[in-house]
Amino acid sequence: MASDDLLGEDTSPQAVGRRGNVRIGLCSWSDPSLIKSKAFYPRGTGTPEGRLRFYALNFPIVEVDSSFYAMPDPANSVRWVERTPANFRFSIKAFRLLTGHQTPPQVFPPDIAAALPQLKAGKRNHYYADLPEEILDEVWRRFILAVAPLKDAGKLLAVHFQFAPWVTNTAAWRAHVEACVRRMAGHLVAIEFRNATWFGTERAAETLDWLRAMRVVHTIVDEPQGVGNYAHGVWEVTHPQLALVRLHGRNAETWDAKGLVASSERFNYEYADAELDELSRGIDGLVDKAFDVVVLLNVNHEDQGVRAARALERKQRRLLGQAGPP
């Protein structure tokens, strides 16, 4: 198929599941470990354009993680729209500054970086609370501008706020989360917490009710439990539009390890078939609770995510007695 044949056509795989509303994909189509493995991308897809076009022929959804590490560029969003079929969808991660993470000056656009206050001696990162309001306003403006081409094309499913592990269930951080939701008015917002205070003992119901009141999507996570800062895997839906499941693996040994060279080390996990059966049943339990159900694999050592995603697709079809794609 010629690359131009993708434009405007519904050539991505269809959603699966009992109601045909389950989209399964990866957290990034350009992870270095996946590319280096040569286990997914064939010859002739060695460019960013080639990889995205090929990915979109195999999966109907992808998470953009590059927007977390550096401020996204609207020109990239335009290219992503042009390189994917009409029925393809993106979930884009919010820029790290907005989610309470440490943010080095070099990941800001150059003109914003030049206007940043000088860091104190020995400090290498900026934090949201330390920046002037005018700079924060400009960061928000540019982030929303950067995702606008995806939104305008109908390809932006959600903006995903993965808050830092030290974002705890306190009045100050709740106020910050609420401010983020207000800033993103008009967008579907998904929220992922990585601290046990949000869904720990006697807090889950309160947190879920708060998310429902804000009309945001609770992110269901599968990850090691009881290790470092972690999120409880609470399989609940807070928005009728979307149920979002992110599968981080269950590698307790690397989850909170220090000094890792790449994220593929932390999320190096091979889901066992029995674990995928368990997850598939949980996913099937969501299909009547939301219009869209999205499952994103964040196990990313070589092609682990690809194989787990395809296995989940097969299991979802098997629940209906459906055959897989040719």
Side-chain angles (χ1 to χ4, degrees):
M1 176 183 292
S3 60
D4 290 343
D5 291 342
L6 290 178
L7 302 182
E9 296 187 4
D10 292 338
T11 49
S12 279
Q14 297 300 309
V16 296
R18 183 157 37 85
R19 287 183 51 234
N21 61 339
V22 179
R23 297 173 184 263
I24 301 175
L26 308 184
C27 292
S28 174
W29 69 91
S30 58
D31 187 86
S33 180
L34 174 61
I35 295 170
K36 187 178 179 180
S37 74
K38 300 182 180 180
F40 176 60
Y41 291 111
R43 292 173 63 89
T45 59
T47 65
E49 177 177 358
R51 284 191 288 268
L52 179 54
R53 289 188 183 276
F54 179 79
Y55 177 94
L57 291 174
N58 286 270
F59 296 104
I61 179 80
V62 76
E63 180 179 280
V64 178
D65 68 344
S66 59
S67 53
F68 170 82
Y69 295 102
M71 273 287 285
D73 183 348
N76 279 336
S77 293
V78 170
R79 286 189 280 268
W80 296 337
V81 168
E82 293 172 345
R83 295 170 181 176
T84 52
N87 63 337
F88 190 80
R89 297 293 180 267
F90 293 85
S91 176
I92 187 164
K93 289 184 74 172
F95 180 48
R96 61 196 299 171
L97 180 79
L98 310 179
T99 55
H101 287 84
Q102 67 273 36
T103 310
Q106 61 268 27
V107 303
F108 290 88
D111 59 327
I112 294 182
L116 292 171
Q118 186 172 359
L119 288 168
K120 295 180 180 179
K123 301 295 183 182
R124 296 184 296 176
N125 295 292
H126 293 280
Y127 289 87
Y128 190 95
D130 299 330
L131 295 184
E133 193 68 25
E134 59 270 20
I135 288 181
L136 296 176
D137 287 343
E138 184 62 11
V139 169
W140 278 109
R141 187 188 74 82
R142 293 201 196 180
F143 179 78
I144 292 171
L145 183 67
V147 303
L150 295 170
K151 186 173 185 291
D152 293 344
K155 293 188 176 185
L156 179 62
L157 189 68
V159 180
H160 184 74
F161 282 74
Q162 179 185 292
F163 287 100
W166 46 86
V167 173
T168 55
N169 191 353
T170 61
W173 279 119
R174 286 195 299 272
H176 177 75
V177 173
E178 290 170 355
C180 290
V181 174
R182 288 194 298 271
R183 293 272 196 173
M184 295 302 300
H187 298 77
L188 184 60
V189 170
I191 288 178
E192 178 176 348
F193 293 117
R194 288 196 168 180
N195 189 287
T197 59
W198 294 98
F199 292 103
T201 305
E202 299 180 356
R203 304 301 292 270
E206 173 190 322
T207 299
L208 291 167
D209 287 344
W210 176 58
L211 296 176
R212 291 187 182 103
M214 290 191 292
R215 293 190 60 77
V216 299
V217 177
H218 158 62
T219 302
I220 301 165
V221 296
D222 185 69
E223 64 184 45
Q225 297 292 288
V227 181
N229 292 301
Y230 69 99
H232 295 76
V234 177
W235 286 70
E236 294 286 347
V237 175
T238 58
H239 196 293
Q241 177 62 40
L242 177 63
L244 177 61
V245 182
R246 296 180 82 235
L247 306 180
H248 301 301
R250 301 176 181 180
N251 192 336
E253 292 182 0
T254 60
W255 185 251
D256 203 38
K258 308 301 181 186
L260 299 179
V261 176
S263 64
S264 55
E265 296 181 56
R266 183 183 187 195
F267 302 110
N268 181 355
Y269 189 77
E270 195 79 44
Y271 274 105
D273 192 63
E275 292 172 329
L276 293 174
D277 280 335
E278 168 201 336
L279 292 166
S280 185
R281 289 191 294 271
I283 293 162
D284 185 62
L286 302 172
V287 299
D288 294 321
K289 298 178 181 179
F291 186 80
D292 286 306
V293 178
V294 166
V295 183
L296 295 168
L297 274 298
N298 196 37
V299 286
N300 58 359
H301 178 69
E302 298 184 345
D303 66 331
Q304 286 174 337
V306 172
R307 288 183 281 108
R310 286 174 168 164
L312 283 173
E313 288 175 349
R314 291 193 298 270
K315 291 177 185 298
Q316 286 293 300
R317 290 191 179 93
R318 199 173 300 148
L319 289 171
L320 302 178
Q322 295 177 343

